[in-house]
Amino acid sequence: MLETLVSLVNVLKTWCFHILYGSYKTGHFLVKSFGLALQHLLGFGAQCFNVCSILWECFLIFLQDNVQILHQGFIFLSDSLDVVLKVIGSLCCKLYILYHSVTTLTVSVCSAVISGITATIAGVGYVIVFVKKLFILFGSGVWFLITLLPLMIVYICKLVSAFIQQLVQETRAMFHSGLSASKLAIKDGVNFIVDVPIQSAIGIAVGLSLLYVLSQCYRLLARKITRNVRELRRWRQRPRASVAEPLRAPQVAPLPSPKSRQSNFDLEADSKVCVICQERNKCVLLLPCRHVCLCTLCTRELKSYGNICPICRSTINRTMKIYV
């Protein structure tokens, strides 16, 4: 479209130049024709003036020969006519000079105007070409911005694919080397284990089993001792009746036996102890089942074992720490 516009402007420029050049030539022809006609007319007037002057002189001679009375009047009239004719002649010469200067000025002005119009049209053409180049540059920049992201994506994909291929190759090489190293390590481990005598292996297994049993017994004993110590502390912290109060018949139930009291203390202690570790107090509410049966550490450990409530076996969605 810009090329069509530039061609149209060039055609208009050519036509305007031809029209202005034709008008300039026509005006120049008219001015020249008018000048020549006026020059011939002025020449014809001068000749007529000469003829009239000759005739007038002849008439004056005729009057001088025939009428002596009007000699002075005719002399005055001839002098006046001479002056008038001289004035008219000088005026015609001045008009011719003025006409010639005006025509010269008009031709120079027309030439300057035509040159200015031609230069203006050429400047407009240059401006249009510059605007065309500017639009082409703008379009190229916009197209570069439009295609920048896809090109970046394509090149990034190429780089990523090359990196992945190289990574796969390196990973495959590392896997093969690791596999060979693992095979050697397994082989060395098997050889290391096979070298152990069977009597020593049985002794190690029995020793580890005994250590595990002893640790469980120690844990149960420590739990029992801790429970008894808590019971003793609660018993010492119980409020006692005041001596100053008047003696009256007690309105309470009979005291339980020592065995039932021990069982009540055990139940009370068990109700506040975590059901997993049996050492720390319960302080976590499980949702949505709302069971309070775990401590903080056992709640964290339970997440790696299915995150299921140990009471109702339902899934734990959320936990909340409480203070009992």
Side-chain angles (χ1 to χ4, degrees), residues 24-298:
Y24 165 72
K25 287 295 182 180
T26 304
H28 187 268
F29 174 74
L30 292 175
V31 169
K32 284 288 185 181
S33 300
F34 185 72
L36 290 173
L38 185 60
Q39 186 177 2
H40 289 299
L41 184 61
L42 290 175
F44 180 73
Q47 291 178 1
C48 291
F49 173 73
N50 292 328
V51 171
C52 290
S53 62
I54 292 170
L55 292 174
W56 179 252
E57 288 176 359
C58 293
F59 181 71
L60 287 177
I61 292 170
F62 173 75
L63 289 177
Q64 187 177 6
D65 294 334
N66 294 287
V67 182
Q68 293 295 329
I69 299 170
L70 298 175
H71 179 68
Q72 297 297 328
F74 282 115
I75 290 173
F76 175 76
L77 185 59
S78 64
D79 293 336
S80 299
L81 288 174
D82 289 334
V83 172
V84 171
L85 291 175
K86 286 179 181 180
V87 170
I88 293 171
S90 62
L91 184 61
C92 290
C93 292
K94 290 181 179 180
L95 287 175
Y96 176 74
I97 294 169
L98 180 63
Y99 166 75
H100 188 270
S101 61
V102 167
T103 53
T104 305
L105 180 63
T106 304
V107 170
S108 61
V109 169
C110 290
S111 301
V113 169
I114 290 171
S115 300
I117 292 173
T118 306
T120 303
I121 293 172
V124 170
Y126 291 145
V127 169
I128 291 173
V129 172
F130 175 75
V131 170
K132 174 189 173 182
K133 292 182 179 178
L134 186 64
F135 273 103
I136 291 171
L137 181 62
F138 176 73
S140 301
V142 171
W143 180 251
F144 173 74
L145 292 176
I146 291 172
T147 57
L148 178 62
L149 184 60
L151 289 176
M152 288 180 63
I153 293 172
V154 169
Y155 287 124
I156 288 171
C157 291
K158 289 182 179 179
L159 290 175
V160 170
S161 63
F163 175 74
I164 290 173
Q165 289 177 0
Q166 187 177 2
L167 182 63
V168 167
Q169 292 176 359
E170 292 181 358
T171 305
R172 188 179 298 172
M174 290 175 63
F175 176 75
H176 288 301
S177 62
L179 185 61
S180 60
S182 300
K183 288 180 180 180
L184 292 174
I186 291 170
K187 186 177 180 180
D188 294 338
V190 169
N191 293 329
F192 179 78
I193 294 171
V194 168
D195 291 339
V196 177
I198 190 167
Q199 296 86 358
S200 301
I202 293 172
I204 291 170
V206 172
L208 292 175
S209 300
L210 290 175
L211 288 175
Y212 178 74
V213 171
L214 289 175
S215 65
Q216 293 296 324
C217 292
Y218 173 76
R219 186 175 179 180
L220 291 174
L221 183 61
R223 189 182 300 169
K224 187 68 175 176
I225 292 171
T226 304
R227 190 179 300 167
N228 292 332
V229 170
R230 288 179 182 173
E231 181 182 354
L232 182 60
R233 286 179 181 175
R234 290 195 187 98
W235 184 76
R236 284 183 179 180
Q237 292 176 359
R238 294 173 111 192
R240 298 180 181 180
S242 177
V243 180
E245 291 181 355
L247 297 175
R248 57 184 179 180
Q251 300 294 330
V252 296
L255 293 174
S257 62
K259 188 174 182 180
S260 62
R261 184 185 304 172
Q262 181 68 27
S263 62
N264 289 334
F265 285 153
D266 291 341
L267 290 173
E268 185 178 358
D270 289 339
S271 64
K272 294 185 179 180
V273 177
C274 176
V275 297
I276 295 179
C277 63
Q278 296 293 323
E279 293 179 358
R280 292 175 290 273
N281 291 332
K282 303 174 182 177
C283 61
V284 177
L285 173 66
L286 306 180
L287 297 174
C289 62
R290 299 184 181 181
H291 285 135
V292 182
C293 57
L294 298 176
C295 62
T296 305
L297 296 178
C298 292

Side-chain angles (χ1 to χ4, degrees), residues 16-28 114:
C16 290
F17 177 79
H18 286 301
I19 290 170
L20 292 173
Y21 186 77
S23 63
Y24 165 72
K25 287 295 182 180
T26 304
H28 187 268
I114 290 171

